[in-house]
Amino acid sequence: MSELNLILLGPPGSGKGTQGERLRDDLELPYYATGDILRAAVREGTELGKRAKRYMDRGDLVPDEVIVGVIAERIDRPEAADGFILDGFPRTDPQAEALDAKMAELGRKLTAALLIEVGDDEVVRRLGGRRTCPNGHVFHVELDPPSKEGVCDVCAAELEIRDDDKPDVIRHRLEQYHAKTEPLIDYYDRQGLLERIDGTVAPDEVEEGIRALLATLRMEEEA
Ligand code: AMP
């Protein structure tokens, strides 16, 4: 396949991050996760971080104009010439339109929007038990506990609950997802780019599903 320009869609906690990292390693493409980019900016105290923090703490989306430029700059990097994996972007209609405009400007096309489907109850269960370390490693108190409670297995840092993984903020993030991001399912369906993936099964199985799908897309392209 000439280029592989992928979007990961799905509610918070659907496993976009897990699958995005696996795809990055598997396909050797850059992986741009806007949530990670924004959290790093907050930690580093950059202008972007200062603008984004209060929205993120509440579980609101940051304004479109804050995030669109960040992604437009990344997909134009030489490292993204063979493709990219976007996680958490676009999240609104204007963001999707801005991405289309940037792709058109670059003479490129999206390959697929992979929708990882998980229901609200499962999202609440997953995010409520999520523990993260400052370096981005993720655990779950029930589903994937670290060997020593409260300590990261990878880098031994103390595990924390993300501010936006607190119960009332989780509910708010879900509302935002349904109101602002879910319309993108139709948006990409209309363009023939939408691919649905069952996100309720084990991560290895989700990964298998995505691999199979990408293999089919490759075959269709070659046919
Ligand atoms: P995530 O890690 O993807 O759940 O993102 C964490 C938070 O970052 C979200 O709740 C938003 O406040 C913000 N954020 C991430 N991506 C976007 C985006 N594309 N548009 C607006 N806000 C975003």
Side-chain angles (χ1 to χ4, degrees), residues 139-183:
F139 299 85
H140 191 282
V141 287
E142 276 168 55
L143 306 170
D144 181 21
S147 29
K148 185 159 178 250
E149 197 185 318
V151 180
C152 177
D153 281 351
V154 184
C155 58
E158 195 179 334
L159 295 178
E160 298 163 347
I161 303 180
R162 263 168 59 172
D163 282 337
D164 60 353
D165 280 345
K166 311 234 156 97
D168 49 335
V169 186
I170 293 174
R171 274 190 294 278
H172 188 61
R173 287 166 69 201
L174 264 171
E175 282 163 19
Q176 296 281 301
Y177 174 76
H178 291 305
K180 298 187 177 152
T181 309
E182 225 164 39

Side-chain angles (χ1 to χ4, degrees), residues 43-64:
R43 269 199 308 279
E44 289 157 15
T46 64
E47 260 330 291
L48 172 67
K50 284 184 201 143
R51 287 185 75 184
K53 185 172 186 325
R54 64 198 160 103
Y55 298 99
M56 296 173 76
D57 286 348
R58 290 197 301 256
D60 278 331
L61 297 183
V62 307
D64 293 330

Side-chain angles (χ1 to χ4, degrees), residues 68-184:
V68 161
V70 172
I71 286 298
E73 182 268 321
R74 277 183 171 67
I75 62 179
D76 202 9
R77 288 182 182 177
E79 65 180 17
D82 291 334
F84 52 77
I85 302 153
L86 295 185
D87 164 359
F89 185 94
R91 253 174 158 107
T92 63
D93 274 330
Q95 291 181 18
E97 284 157 14
L99 177 62
D100 280 351
K102 182 70 193 176
M103 293 296 279
E105 179 196 317
L106 298 174
R108 300 172 64 174
K109 283 198 162 58
L110 291 172
T111 309
L114 310 179
L115 171 66
I116 308 186
E117 297 185 286
V118 169
D120 286 9
D121 290 349
E122 179 65 9
V123 165
V124 171
R125 185 170 87 105
R126 289 184 183 184
L127 295 187
R130 184 155 81 169
R131 300 292 180 269
T132 52
C133 90
N135 300 316
H137 304 120
V138 183
F139 299 85
H140 191 282
V141 287
E142 276 168 55
L143 306 170
D144 181 21
S147 29
K148 185 159 178 250
E149 197 185 318
V151 180
C152 177
D153 281 351
V154 184
C155 58
E158 195 179 334
L159 295 178
E160 298 163 347
I161 303 180
R162 263 168 59 172
D163 282 337
D164 60 353
D165 280 345
K166 311 234 156 97
D168 49 335
V169 186
I170 293 174
R171 274 190 294 278
H172 188 61
R173 287 166 69 201
L174 264 171
E175 282 163 19
Q176 296 281 301
Y177 174 76
H178 291 305
K180 298 187 177 152
T181 309
E182 225 164 39
L184 295 185

